[in-house]
Amino acid sequence: MSKQKRGIILGMLLGDGCLKRKFHKDSIYYEYVLCHSIKQEVYLNYKRNLFHSIVGGKLPKINYETNSKGYDSCRFSRCHRAFRLFHKTLYSKDNKKYFSDKVFRYLTPQSIAFWYMDDGGISKNIYSGKVTSIEMRFYTYFSEEEADRAISYFKTTHDISVKKRHYMKRGQWNLVLNSKESIKLTKLIDEYVIPEMKYKLPSLNFTRALDPTANVGDDIV
């Protein structure tokens, strides 16, 4: 599998995707599951088609579910022998996602785009009715060690300065980027963000963010 294809499969696992470990007699296999709100059905279908172009076989069927709280979702899943290696890369021994050095070595700009479309979002600072600065966030919950590793990766590989933010109640960390660094991240991933998810980018929230020479605020209040 090429680096690009491997990056796509991995990128779709970083946020809302997961690998479920299954047991059958004396063997273990892994099921790749992608699930989204019904509001993001177009996005899920885009993922499914791209996933199918890489993995091959029969096109996975999209299933629709409504949970006990009335939450409507759509999902697809697929088993493949290659997923064992992805599980080994992304999951710890206790079967939880873990962002190791190896994960970051495998990332591509397209991987990051999927990660952001899944877990990312925009926070706006508004003054006198105008958006004065923005903050892009990854709402992935890290240990501090993982957050520091992510910060190092973005700076070393893409010259993007990312900060970590502590959530006391969870004892975990998120990643945040100020206006200036959000511009850099947008330039890195923009071509891979589908139209239906562009609302998560600064260009639809803060017009000056398209101009890296603009005098934008560095911090969000």
Side-chain angles (χ1 to χ4, degrees):
M1 187 178 292
S2 69
K3 180 179 180 180
Q4 180 187 11
K5 292 180 178 179
R6 182 177 60 197
I8 291 171
I9 296 296
L10 181 61
M12 290 194 288
L13 283 172
L14 299 181
D16 295 323
C18 70
L19 283 172
K20 293 186 176 181
R21 188 161 54 188
K22 302 283 187 174
F23 299 90
H24 180 68
K25 296 182 179 180
D26 296 328
S27 63
I28 300 174
Y29 63 97
Y30 297 89
E31 182 183 27
Y32 195 116
V33 181
L34 282 169
C35 181
H36 283 287
S37 162
I38 193 67
K39 295 178 181 179
Q40 295 181 333
E41 183 179 4
V42 172
Y43 179 40
L44 181 79
N45 193 56
Y46 170 78
K47 282 183 169 181
R48 179 183 67 151
N49 292 336
L50 187 56
F51 177 91
H52 179 248
S53 71
I54 296 172
V55 177
K58 186 177 180 180
L59 180 68
K61 178 183 177 181
I62 294 180
N63 295 305
Y64 300 87
E65 303 173 350
T66 301
N67 66 16
S68 59
K69 296 182 179 180
Y71 176 81
D72 295 322
S73 63
C74 49
R75 57 179 280 170
F76 73 84
S77 62
R78 173 74 188 277
C79 294
H80 193 280
R81 61 181 180 276
F83 298 157
R84 179 184 299 272
L85 297 177
F86 284 96
H87 189 276
K88 186 177 181 180
T89 298
L90 184 58
Y91 286 76
S92 63
K93 292 181 179 179
D94 58 356
N95 202 35
K96 294 182 180 180
K97 288 184 184 179
Y98 177 71
F99 285 69
S100 65
D101 287 327
K102 191 174 184 179
V103 170
F104 288 106
R105 286 200 300 271
Y106 286 165
L107 293 191
T108 65
Q110 192 168 13
S111 306
I112 299 169
F114 278 116
W115 181 16
Y116 183 74
M117 286 189 284
D118 280 12
D119 278 2
I122 286 281
S123 176
K124 296 179 284 187
N125 186 40
I126 300 175
Y127 180 75
S128 297
K130 296 182 179 180
V131 177
T132 57
S133 59
I134 56 90
E135 182 179 75
M136 292 176 75
R137 300 178 182 178
F138 285 89
Y139 291 99
T140 305
Y141 288 100
F142 294 106
S143 66
E144 187 169 16
E145 174 195 357
E146 292 172 290
D148 288 339
R149 188 175 291 127
I151 289 170
S152 177
Y153 162 77
F154 277 108
K155 185 62 179 177
T156 302
T157 307
H158 302 292
D159 192 28
I160 298 175
S161 296
V162 179
K163 296 180 180 179
K164 59 187 178 184
R165 180 166 295 159
H166 192 209
Y167 288 81
M168 297 295 292
K169 292 183 179 180
R170 298 181 64 108
Q172 293 174 302
W173 303 76
N174 285 167
L175 303 178
V176 298
L177 299 89
N178 63 28
S179 295
K180 181 180 178 181
E181 303 307 316
S182 292
I183 298 169
K184 295 180 182 179
L185 179 61
T186 299
K187 286 181 173 292
L188 180 68
I189 68 174
D190 183 68
E191 66 177 294
Y192 304 111
V193 177
I194 66 171
E196 290 78 9
M197 303 301 284
K198 293 284 188 180
Y199 71 91
K200 291 191 174 189
L201 296 179
S203 57
L204 293 185
N205 295 274
F206 181 49
T207 56
R208 287 182 296 169
L210 291 176
D211 181 6
T213 65
N215 184 22
V216 298
D218 283 345
D219 298 297
I220 297 293
V221 177

